[in-house]
Amino acid sequence: MKIDAKIYLPKNPSALLATASVCLDDCFIIRGVKVIEGSKSIFVSMPSRKVNEEYHDVCYPCTKEFRQEFDQAVLDAYAEAVAASE
């Protein structure tokens, strides 16, 4: 599967390092993906909504393998965007 991520860097980075729009196989786009700096590492967060004080992902990969592939594509695009902005 082809995964293209367009990264949007904030003007004032905080724990939210970037947002992304991710296109899957040139036919499905997911907006609102976040790149976040956690306490141990940088991670990818899927779009979510609040339901009764809890947040639930709106969409998410169905397999561990695709989740890893998706996250890596977003993190690679993030690294490229940061390098290009320096």
Side-chain angles (χ1 to χ4, degrees):
M1 174 171 286
K2 181 179 171 190
I3 304 171
D4 291 317
K6 182 168 175 76
I7 301 294
Y8 304 94
L9 298 173
K11 293 182 184 197
N12 300 314
S14 57
L16 176 64
L17 300 175
T19 58
S21 291
V22 182
C23 184
L24 306 176
D25 275 344
D26 293 326
C27 62
F28 190 82
I29 295 178
I30 303 168
R31 291 186 178 147
V33 175
K34 298 174 187 160
V35 179
I36 298 176
E37 183 161 9
S39 60
K40 296 181 182 178
S41 64
I42 294 173
F43 66 94
V44 175
S45 175
M46 298 301 285
S48 61
R49 65 184 171 120
K50 192 173 185 178
V51 178
N52 299 328
E53 305 302 320
E54 291 184 17
Y55 286 92
H56 297 275
D57 288 348
V58 174
C59 57
Y60 48 88
C62 292
T63 66
K64 179 181 175 183
E65 295 78 19
F66 186 67
R67 177 66 191 228
Q68 291 170 339
E69 185 179 347
F70 184 94
D71 287 359
Q72 194 58 57
V74 172
L75 293 174
D76 289 348
Y78 169 72
E80 289 176 17
V82 168
S85 73
E86 293 177 346

